[in-house]
Amino acid sequence: MKPIAPVVPLPVWGNLYTAAERFRSLKPWKVLDDRDLIGVCDPTTGEMGYACIMGSAGTVFGLCLYRGSEGFDSYRRLMEGEFDPESIEPLFIQNCLKIDFGNKSELEPEDLEVVQGLGLERKGVHAWPQFRGLLPGYFPWFLDEAEARFLTFGVDVACYHFSQIQKFQKVPSVKDGGILVYRPDKKAYAGLWEPWPIHRPEPYPPLLLDYPRARTARAQGEKPDSPWEAGVFFIPKPVSEGGRPYFSRVCVVCQASSGFMFNIQVGGPSLSDPQMLTDVILGSIERHGFIPASIRFADGVTVAALAPLSKALEIPFEHAKTLPAVRDARNGVIEALGSGRLGS
């Protein structure tokens, strides 16, 4: 069943399209780049957003409004080069609202329905805005009403900030550890320096461990083996089950020395990474009868969350800086997906 886009009142869309057209006419990307970040505070909800201009490189034109500390953290990681330039991982971690200016042919039927309802006409290159919301693990999707209102406010503030730059030549917005944040005021916008937000990820829910199964698996694993690697990664294939489309997560367990994949499982957003890993690790032992000298994971948070499983299996779990076997498995799965071989 095809997912249904959220319903947004036409006047709300009209305000957003008007703001976007004003923003496009200013062409702020000729002066600003994606490091000229400004903070905005949603006047309705108090939610913080962090807006950056896209287009200085001459390829993608628009605005990205990163939401909250999680959105800011994904922006920071992108700017500090934590991802390989060829990596697709940033696609899966962003929490933001976006405007991309392109051609009318790039719009989806849901976009065109709004355009027709508003009776809009545009001329020129990169004249048509496309609005999308991104959430970690989910496919870019159409805005709901609250998102459309917040993005409208963010675009209005970005236009105001750019007008101040045009008037005063230079209005810095980012400094070491601080960012210029605009809050609604009676007359205009009040800009105040505030510290960068600190992102504290939500802890994983408690592990639901089937202790009898773990004990049985441990008893069946009579053959000692070299260390294993285990990890979870996204694949760029959206899945639609009637709600918002999401990206599938793949969980694998591999032998570190050979790269042999003991087990693989595909899941959605309902299970946490440690919960998926628990099932795949137990399945690997049950299927092959090996007990590894240790199991390596990509981060210490996952190791801590899996402590009950480590204790039940009497296997040390370790944090490793790199997981070459998991990386190769991920590349193989994505290659198979691109060639149409995955699941055939």
Side-chain angles (χ1 to χ4, degrees), residues 66-87:
Y66 291 93
R67 293 184 283 191
S69 61
E70 181 180 50
F72 180 88
D73 191 62
S74 66
Y75 166 84
R76 177 195 60 78
R77 294 173 66 191
L78 286 166
M79 291 298 101
E80 293 181 0
E82 289 191 17
F83 304 99
D84 185 284
E86 302 298 322
S87 172

Side-chain angles (χ1 to χ4, degrees), residues 40-107:
V40 300
C41 179
D42 188 332
T44 303
T45 66
E47 181 182 11
M48 289 300 303
Y50 302 91
C52 74
I53 310 300
M54 302 183 297
S56 61
T59 53
V60 178
F61 299 88
L63 177 140
C64 193
L65 183 63
Y66 291 93
R67 293 184 283 191
S69 61
E70 181 180 50
F72 180 88
D73 191 62
S74 66
Y75 166 84
R76 177 195 60 78
R77 294 173 66 191
L78 286 166
M79 291 298 101
E80 293 181 0
E82 289 191 17
F83 304 99
D84 185 284
E86 302 298 322
S87 172
I88 60 174
E89 187 177 352
L91 175 65
F92 310 124
I93 67 164
Q94 295 190 62
N95 185 341
C96 63
L97 304 174
K98 290 183 70 176
I99 304 176
D100 285 311
F101 291 101
N103 299 322
K104 193 173 184 179
S105 60
E106 299 172 41
L107 300 181

Side-chain angles (χ1 to χ4, degrees), residues 251-316:
C251 182
V252 296
V253 176
C254 307
Q255 188 180 50
S257 59
S258 68
F260 176 79
M261 190 186 304
F262 288 109
N263 201 1
I264 181 171
Q265 177 177 306
V266 180
S270 59
L271 292 178
S272 68
D273 286 3
Q275 202 65 55
M276 284 185 69
L277 287 162
T278 295
D279 187 56
V280 175
I281 289 169
L282 289 175
S284 299
I285 297 172
E286 292 164 345
R287 182 180 301 176
H288 300 280
F290 289 110
I291 290 291
S294 64
I295 304 181
R296 301 166 182 167
F297 302 88
D299 60 85
V301 176
T302 301
V303 172
L306 289 170
L309 179 63
S310 174
K311 183 177 180 180
L313 293 175
E314 301 176 21
I315 300 172

Side-chain angles (χ1 to χ4, degrees), residues 63-335:
L63 177 140
C64 193
L65 183 63
Y66 291 93
R67 293 184 283 191
S69 61
E70 181 180 50
F72 180 88
D73 191 62
S74 66
Y75 166 84
R76 177 195 60 78
R77 294 173 66 191
L78 286 166
M79 291 298 101
E80 293 181 0
E82 289 191 17
F83 304 99
D84 185 284
E86 302 298 322
S87 172
I88 60 174
E89 187 177 352
L91 175 65
F92 310 124
I93 67 164
Q94 295 190 62
N95 185 341
C96 63
L97 304 174
K98 290 183 70 176
I99 304 176
D100 285 311
F101 291 101
N103 299 322
K104 193 173 184 179
S105 60
E106 299 172 41
L107 300 181
E108 299 290 337
E110 291 87 345
D111 302 312
L112 294 172
E113 183 179 350
V114 175
V115 167
Q116 184 177 4
L118 293 173
L120 297 178
E121 292 294 338
R122 297 283 187 269
K123 293 182 179 180
V125 180
H126 305 295
W128 292 93
Q130 185 181 76
F131 310 104
R132 292 294 184 267
L134 281 70
L135 284 173
Y138 286 85
F139 189 72
W141 196 235
F142 304 99
L143 306 184
D144 61 27
E145 182 176 351
E147 291 173 328
R149 292 182 184 275
F150 188 21
L151 184 55
T152 301
F153 179 74
V155 175
D156 283 339
V157 172
C159 291
Y160 172 80
H161 177 72
F162 187 66
S163 71
Q164 296 299 101
I165 290 176
Q166 290 178 312
K167 185 183 299 184
F168 300 109
Q169 297 302 313
K170 186 170 179 60
V171 180
S173 62
V174 179
K175 61 183 179 182
D176 188 24
I179 181 171
L180 185 63
V181 175
Y182 286 97
R183 297 180 181 274
D185 202 344
K186 292 181 180 179
K187 296 181 179 180
Y189 300 106
L192 300 172
W193 284 98
E194 298 186 10
W196 290 355
I198 299 174
H199 180 50
R200 295 181 174 87
E202 290 291 327
Y204 287 121
L207 195 67
L208 301 177
L209 180 58
D210 185 341
Y211 284 95
R213 182 188 177 191
R215 286 193 292 267
T216 300
R218 183 65 181 87
Q220 292 174 344
E222 299 178 350
K223 297 176 286 186
D225 195 20
S226 57
W228 291 359
E229 295 178 8
V232 181
F233 53 86
F234 288 101
I235 55 175
K237 183 178 182 181
V239 176
S240 175
E241 297 177 339
R244 181 175 185 148
Y246 61 86
F247 291 110
S248 292
R249 288 183 299 153
V250 177
C251 182
V252 296
V253 176
C254 307
Q255 188 180 50
S257 59
S258 68
F260 176 79
M261 190 186 304
F262 288 109
N263 201 1
I264 181 171
Q265 177 177 306
V266 180
S270 59
L271 292 178
S272 68
D273 286 3
Q275 202 65 55
M276 284 185 69
L277 287 162
T278 295
D279 187 56
V280 175
I281 289 169
L282 289 175
S284 299
I285 297 172
E286 292 164 345
R287 182 180 301 176
H288 300 280
F290 289 110
I291 290 291
S294 64
I295 304 181
R296 301 166 182 167
F297 302 88
D299 60 85
V301 176
T302 301
V303 172
L306 289 170
L309 179 63
S310 174
K311 183 177 180 180
L313 293 175
E314 301 176 21
I315 300 172
F317 288 2
E318 304 169 345
H319 169 214
K321 290 184 178 180
T322 59
L323 299 175
V326 171
R327 178 200 61 211
D328 292 344
R330 178 192 62 205
N331 293 341
V333 168
I334 293 175
E335 181 182 354

